[in-house]
Amino acid sequence: QVQLVESGGGLVQAGGSLRLSCAASGLTFSRYVMGWFRQAPGKDREFVAAISWSGGSTYYADSVKGRFTISRDNAKNTAYLQMNSLKPEDTAVYYCAADRSMSSYASGNYDYWGQGTQVTVSS
């Protein structure tokens, strides 16, 4: 079965950095668009970033543009989210997701989801 496993979350001070990883199994990774979403307490899940099958195209929410970088390594079946200049408002559970289509990369309509990893940014 398909599994997406996030790792790399934790507690960091404002201005710090974290790198999240999403290890995929049970699917042909290079045929899937990968996305990162987050959900803060009491808020709806929101789009963070997405990357195309080969990594040639990337998309970001305005709130993270210039601070976060999404990437992937198809040989390792892993997607990454490098988060720099973190702010307290970045505190959330971060989820990776996989979908075969790029058509709705920001909508959250993905085929598969991971269990999430907590990111907490202290002020």
Side-chain angles (χ1 to χ4, degrees):
Q1 70 277 20
V2 175
Q3 280 194 313
L4 301 177
V5 180
E6 301 96 335
S7 61
L11 173 64
V12 64
Q13 287 188 332
S17 298
L18 283 174
R19 187 194 197 202
L20 305 184
S21 298
C22 173
S25 60
L27 52 71
T28 304
F29 185 70
S30 60
R31 295 181 181 177
Y32 282 79
V33 171
M34 298 302 295
W36 286 95
F37 291 76
R38 67 186 182 187
Q39 187 166 21
K43 295 188 176 182
D44 293 335
R45 184 179 61 195
E46 65 174 356
F47 168 74
V48 175
I51 188 166
S52 62
W53 307 267
S54 65
S57 297
T58 56
Y59 305 88
Y60 298 93
D62 288 343
S63 59
V64 306
K65 204 170 292 183
R67 299 188 298 122
F68 291 10
T69 302
I70 188 171
S71 61
R72 65 190 297 159
D73 185 337
N74 286 348
K76 295 182 178 180
N77 289 355
T78 302
Y80 305 96
L81 186 68
Q82 177 68 43
M83 306 186 295
N84 299 329
S85 302
L86 283 161
K87 305 175 181 180
E89 51 264 42
D90 294 318
T91 295
V93 177
Y94 283 71
Y95 300 89
C96 70
D99 193 77
R100 283 167 287 185
S101 172
M102 197 82 223
S103 62
S104 55
Y105 63 86
S107 71
N109 188 24
Y110 280 63
D111 293 333
Y112 304 106
W113 292 84
Q115 82 290 348
T117 186
Q118 176 70 47
V119 171
T120 303
V121 184
S122 63
S123 57

